[in-house]
């Protein structure tokens, strides 16, 4: 049975949407990715420059003294850490800032009014954040080539962990953005939770530098496994077992996906 | 009484065809015009308070966040490099690093305060609130600059207090500590004003912060002695005011310096004067502020 023609026969027919709204998901993904790319100076160039500055000051502060960290030369240890740090932070900012901005400007109705299920929204946002994180991470890696001129040791692993980390932080940013009522809240989450957790997860130093009690806490931290995995991908040396890291990352991403799905499905802070 | 028979007590009455003063003569308690002397102290104080309250209302973002970030830097650098770099210029690494980090936090926040104040006011249109009142260009410059300087000093004090919990450091010469804290915050507050007046949108401001202020704050000796640098860059550092403020501030704590301490004082005083004059000139000419 064909769908009934509208009277007059000229009105567009209702689009049939299958189990997955592919057009909607693709549109959501592009809309938000383009918003990040449009302000590339803030989302790509500035983080890459920040990473270069970090690499430079660590080299200068080290002043030619030799330092081995986690079995690697310090530069080979630091560069992957910086790439991971920049990518993870971008993943968080991507969804968090987008969500707070849209909520404050009232544009969020464009998203929740569209025929997209909560599952499609979470998936679209998370993939968008992960791709944004990959782009910024890649640019940062290019910018850091003068400090570590080497091809990635395990490109496949690198991509998996960078993408997984982007998904993880994108989902954290989404949950944070949904919770935040104003800019103060989201920048509070970033300054007091996200950045401290990333900094203390082995970006700049191997966990064996930490006192024993702190080390136990640090090893329970999923971000540590992401950074360690990215380091394995770029430099070929890891502290933790990459497969454990992959399992932890996948489990945390799944848990965060469910949390965000639940928040969007119940309309937490979005619908009355 | 002419022209406004029904004016309520104390309300100024417009002279609709009225003769005489234009005031309702029988009312004796309308406010007299305030006499403003050489300096509009009340206006200046109000402007300063506005600039300070702006950041105090969001203290978690403007004071606590920079403090936490700076403490993280201290932790990260000492954990990463502590074993390889034990002393710099004869000073233990943490004690060398701490004043540099405090200075970095102060200058970034002094700059952020004045630049964001002006850009937000311009974009939202409420810049007229500071252009209309009877405040001269000099009073605007002083009021806004001191607001930014206060933010720098408050962040610096908070950060120092936070660091005291983790490391110990003495004070070698309190004059250099106070002078450079004030002069550096003032310098960046003035730079933030110039930037804020020039910027047309937030992107311009973010670009200045990311591509000019942060690199200068990072690369001017916060984390290392410039004696580590190649000859050419050492010479270049002496032309960089950020170097003098960091070095002078550190000298106040550690008594160790890469240059002559009084030279730093002179350079900072000179730069602050020049920047204040530029700000005053921009306000007086109404550059990008008045049509």
């Amino acid at each position: 049975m064909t769908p009934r023609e509208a009277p007059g026969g000229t009105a567009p027919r209702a689009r049939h949407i299958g189990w997955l709204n592919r057009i909607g998901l693709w549109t959501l993904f592009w809309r938000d990715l383009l918003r990040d790319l449009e302000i590339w100076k803030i989302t790509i160039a500035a983080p890459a420059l920040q990473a270069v500055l970090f690499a430079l000051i660590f080299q200068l502060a080290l002043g030619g003294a030799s330092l081995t960290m986690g079995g690697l030369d310090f530069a080979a240890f630091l560069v992957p850490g910086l790439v991971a740090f920049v990518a993870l932070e971008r993943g968080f900012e991507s969804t968090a800032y987008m969500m707070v901005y849209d909520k404050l400007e009232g544009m969020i109705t464009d998203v929740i009014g569209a025929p997209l299920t909560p599952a499609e929204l979470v998936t679209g946002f998370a993939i968008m954040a992960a791709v944004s994180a990959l782009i910024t991470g890649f640019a940062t890696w290019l910018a850091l080539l003068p400090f570590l001129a080497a091809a990635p040791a395990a490109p496949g692993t690198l991509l998996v962990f960078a993408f997984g980390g982007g998904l993880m932080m994108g989902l954290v940013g989404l949950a944070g953005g949904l919770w935040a009522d104003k800019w103060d809240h989201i920048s509070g989450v970033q300054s007091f939770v996200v950045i401290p957790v990333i900094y203390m997860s082995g970006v700049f130093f191997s966990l064996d530098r930490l006192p024993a009690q702190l080390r136990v806490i640090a090893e329970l931290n999923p971000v540590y496994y992401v950074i360690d995995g990215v380091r394995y991908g770029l430099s070929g040396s890891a502290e933790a077992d990459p497969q454990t890291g992959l399992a932890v990352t996948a489990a945390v991403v799944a848990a965060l996906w469910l949390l965000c799905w639940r928040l969007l499905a119940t309309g937490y802070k979005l619908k009355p | 009484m002419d022209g406004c028979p029904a004016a309520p007590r104390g309300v100024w009455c417009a002279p609709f065809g009225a003769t005489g003063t234009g005031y309702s003569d029988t009312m004796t308690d309308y406010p007299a015009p305030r006499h403003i002397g050489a300096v509009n102290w009340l206006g200046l104080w109000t402007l300063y308070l506005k600039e300070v309250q702006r950041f105090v209302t969001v203290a978690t973002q403007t004071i606590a966040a920079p403090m936490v970030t700076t403490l993280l830097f201290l932790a990260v650098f000492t954990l990463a490099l502590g074993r390889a770099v034990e002393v710099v210029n004869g000073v233990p690494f943490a004690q060398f690093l701490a004043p540099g980090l405090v200075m970095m936090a102060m200058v970034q926040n002094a700059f952020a305060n004045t630049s964001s104040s002006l850009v937000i006011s311009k974009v939202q249109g409420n810049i007229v609130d500071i252009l209309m009142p009877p405040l001269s260009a000099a009073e605007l410059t002083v009021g806004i600059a001191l607001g930014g300087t206060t933010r720098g000093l408050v962040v610096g004090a908070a950060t120092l207090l936070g660091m005291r919990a983790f490391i110990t450091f003495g004070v070698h010469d309190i004059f250099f500590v106070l002078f450079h804290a004030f002069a550096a915050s003032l310098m960046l507050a003035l730079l933030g004003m110039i930037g804020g007046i020039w910027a047309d949108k937030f992107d311009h401001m973010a670009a200045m912060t990311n591509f000019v202020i942060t690199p200068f704050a990072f690369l001017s000796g916060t984390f290392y002695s410039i004696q580590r640098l190649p000859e050419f860059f050492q010479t270049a550092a002496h032309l960089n005011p950020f170097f003098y403020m960091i070095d002078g501030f550190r000298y106040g704590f550690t008594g160790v310096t890469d240059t002559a301490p009084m030279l730093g004082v002179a350079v900072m005083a000179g730069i602050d004067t020049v920047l204040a004059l530029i700000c005053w000139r921009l306000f007086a000419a109404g550059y990008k502020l008045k049509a």
Side-chain angles (χ1 to χ4, degrees), chain B residues 119-132:
Chain B
V119 174
I120 291 173
S121 295
K122 277 166 63 173
V123 171
Q124 296 187 341
N126 60 319
I127 188 84
V128 291
D129 291 351
I130 64 164
L131 294 179
M132 285 292 291

Side-chain angles (χ1 to χ4, degrees), chain B residues 101-176:
Chain B
L101 287 172
V102 172
M103 182 51 89
M104 191 178 81
M106 286 196 294
V107 298
Q108 286 179 336
N109 281 280
F111 181 84
N113 206 62
T114 50
S115 61
S116 68
S117 176
L118 285 169
V119 174
I120 291 173
S121 295
K122 277 166 63 173
V123 171
Q124 296 187 341
N126 60 319
I127 188 84
V128 291
D129 291 351
I130 64 164
L131 294 179
M132 285 292 291
L135 287 165
S136 66
E139 286 157 356
L140 286 176
T141 306
V142 171
I144 299 176
L146 287 183
T149 310
T150 306
R151 161 108 167 254
L153 294 175
V154 170
V155 168
T159 310
L160 270 178
L161 277 178
M163 284 181 173
R164 278 308 284 265
F166 301 99
I167 58 169
T168 53
F169 42 82
V171 175
H172 172 76
D173 189 335
I174 190 75
F175 166 76
F176 284 91

Side-chain angles (χ1 to χ4, degrees), chain B residues 31-252:
Chain B
R34 185 161 68 85
H35 176 71
I36 298 175
V39 176
N40 180 355
W41 291 110
L42 178 62
L44 187 58
W45 177 243
T46 310
L47 178 64
Y48 172 75
L49 271 192
K50 166 193 170 284
E51 289 299 303
V52 170
Q53 281 166 356
R54 244 189 101 247
F55 76 82
V56 172
T57 19
V58 282
T60 44
Q61 248 189 93
T62 54
I63 301 169
M67 178 184 145
V68 169
T69 308
T70 312
L71 289 177
L72 274 174
F73 271 71
L74 183 67
V76 161
F77 273 83
T78 45
L79 284 168
L81 301 180
R83 286 186 201 171
V85 186
E86 284 170 359
V87 288
V88 182
N89 287 356
V91 178
F93 185 55
Q95 271 89 321
F96 176 87
L97 191 58
L101 287 172
V102 172
M103 182 51 89
M104 191 178 81
M106 286 196 294
V107 298
Q108 286 179 336
N109 281 280
F111 181 84
N113 206 62
T114 50
S115 61
S116 68
S117 176
L118 285 169
V119 174
I120 291 173
S121 295
K122 277 166 63 173
V123 171
Q124 296 187 341
N126 60 319
I127 188 84
V128 291
D129 291 351
I130 64 164
L131 294 179
M132 285 292 291
L135 287 165
S136 66
E139 286 157 356
L140 286 176
T141 306
V142 171
I144 299 176
L146 287 183
T149 310
T150 306
R151 161 108 167 254
L153 294 175
V154 170
V155 168
T159 310
L160 270 178
L161 277 178
M163 284 181 173
R164 278 308 284 265
F166 301 99
I167 58 169
T168 53
F169 42 82
V171 175
H172 172 76
D173 189 335
I174 190 75
F175 166 76
F176 284 91
V177 171
L178 295 177
F179 174 83
H180 281 285
F182 182 83
S185 297
L186 179 62
M187 174 183 148
L188 272 288
L190 290 165
L191 275 178
M193 283 167 77
I194 296 171
I197 292 173
W198 164 77
D200 295 320
K201 46 180 181 172
F202 293 113
D203 292 17
H204 293 162
M205 218 58 256
M208 280 184 58
T209 306
N210 288 326
F211 302 116
V212 182
I213 301 299
T214 306
F216 266 108
F218 268 42
L219 296 177
S220 306
T222 302
F223 301 93
Y224 48 84
S225 160
I226 60 153
Q227 291 170 15
R228 294 273 168 85
L229 296 174
E231 193 77 27
F232 168 76
F233 287 100
Q234 282 198 36
T235 316
H238 285 90
L239 299 173
N240 171 4
F242 286 77
F243 159 71
Y244 290 100
M245 63 173 78
I246 294 168
D247 193 66
F249 190 63
R250 180 176 288 137
Y251 171 75

Side-chain angles (χ1 to χ4, degrees), chain A residues 49 57 60-61 69 184 187 204, chain B residues 58 61 76 80 210-211 228:
Chain A
L49 176 68
I57 54 182
L60 286 167
M69 187 77 84
D184 298 15
S187 72
F204 302 98
Chain B
V58 282
Q61 248 189 93
V76 161
N210 288 326
F211 302 116
R228 294 273 168 85

